[in-house]
């Protein structure tokens, strides 16, 4: 999995590229495709994942199947973290 760090809209000092990559490599990460009515727009996905140090991250990204461009990454909100934990509990 390769990442393109050009045109990031978040501070790479607050959330490091390594942490973002760890959240994508999380075996329990959740990837979602939002419902949009505009099919001409570039499709963006959501990812919920956890780092090695148990930091919960929410990401918005685009991919062509080989390259990932993370547009936004931040700490998960409390309800997102609850959703992540609930979905993972369902799979166990």
């Amino acid at each position: 999995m390769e990442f393109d760090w050009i045109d990031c809209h978040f501070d790479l000092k607050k959330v490091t590229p390594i942490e973002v990559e760890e959240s994508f490599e999380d075996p329990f990460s959740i990837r979602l495709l939002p419902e949009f009515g505009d099919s001409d727009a570039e499709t963006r996905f959501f990812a919920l994942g956890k780092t090695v140090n148990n930091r919960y991250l929410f990401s918005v990204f685009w991919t062509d199947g080989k390259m990932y461009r993370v547009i936004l990454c931040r700490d998960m909100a409390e309800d997102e973290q609850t959703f992540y934990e609930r979905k993972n509990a369902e799979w166990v």
Side-chain angles (χ1 to χ4, degrees):
M1 171 179 320
E2 290 187 48
F3 288 85
D4 178 1
W5 296 109
I6 297 172
D7 201 23
C8 290
H9 297 287
F10 61 97
D11 189 352
L12 290 172
K13 293 177 184 168
K14 290 183 179 179
V15 181
T16 66
I18 292 172
E19 289 178 310
V20 175
E21 291 178 20
E22 287 175 356
S23 73
F24 275 76
E25 293 170 358
D26 172 9
F28 302 107
S29 68
I30 299 169
R31 308 236 173 106
L32 305 166
L33 175 63
E35 293 183 36
F36 291 125
D38 186 8
S39 61
D40 294 337
E42 185 178 87
T43 304
R44 295 180 179 175
F45 299 87
F46 299 142
L48 299 153
K50 197 162 56 166
T51 68
V52 173
N53 291 323
N54 291 323
R55 184 176 183 185
Y56 292 85
L57 295 177
F58 170 86
S59 302
V60 177
F61 68 98
W62 168 90
T63 184
D64 64 3
K66 293 183 247 179
M67 182 71 67
Y68 287 79
R69 178 175 289 160
V70 180
I71 301 158
L72 174 84
C73 188
R74 61 169 172 74
D75 290 307
M76 281 187 215
E78 188 176 325
D79 57 336
E80 293 163 342
Q81 191 172 343
T82 301
F83 175 79
Y84 173 88
E85 292 295 343
R86 190 179 76 235
K87 284 296 180 188
N88 279 299
E90 289 175 7
W91 294 332
V92 175

